[in-house]
Amino acid sequence: MFWKLNAEAFLGSSGIPSAIVKPCGLEGKYGRGGKELLVGHDDNLPRGSMISREDTAAVMLEAVASRASGLRFDLCVGNGAPTTNLPKLLDDARYKWGK
């Protein structure tokens, strides 16, 4: 964790636009969609549910495609309706003062 945090700090201070996605846990099963995706900060999301690699990759791809920068957020799975609007999910991931 020490080195990961140092890398994040280095990237943040470099001036390079970036988005850091921190999944709660990656499951070994494959498959995209069908689950509610939750974003948050400071480890305040419910833990225990694993997110698929495809869902994580889809969120990261949306961040690249939309040229999102200045983002650093946790990504977990909830029990609600499936998330289909990834641009809104990224917008929800911004700190309130960053909007």
Side-chain angles (χ1 to χ4, degrees), residues 31-53:
R32 163 80 180 101
K35 295 185 179 180
E36 177 189 28
L37 303 179
L38 304 172
V39 292
H41 302 95
D42 304 322
D43 295 325
N44 64 355
L45 294 175
R47 298 288 178 169
S49 58
M50 306 291 272
I51 186 168
S52 74
R53 295 172 192 277

Side-chain angles (χ1 to χ4, degrees), residues 15-30:
I16 299 171
S18 62
I20 297 170
V21 180
K22 303 183 311 174
C24 291
L26 296 173
E27 70 180 5
K29 298 178 185 173
Y30 295 97

Side-chain angles (χ1 to χ4, degrees), residues 39-92:
V39 292
H41 302 95
D42 304 322
D43 295 325
N44 64 355
L45 294 175
R47 298 288 178 169
S49 58
M50 306 291 272
I51 186 168
S52 74
R53 295 172 192 277
E54 283 80 3
D55 281 335
T56 304
V59 171
M60 294 171 69
L61 181 60
E62 181 61 36
V64 170
S66 66
R67 297 181 184 258
S69 66
L71 286 176
R72 180 179 185 268
F73 61 93
D74 302 323
L75 178 65
C76 297
V77 173
N79 294 322
T83 300
T84 56
N85 189 344
L86 295 181
K88 181 181 180 321
L89 184 78
L90 289 179
D91 191 46
D92 291 344

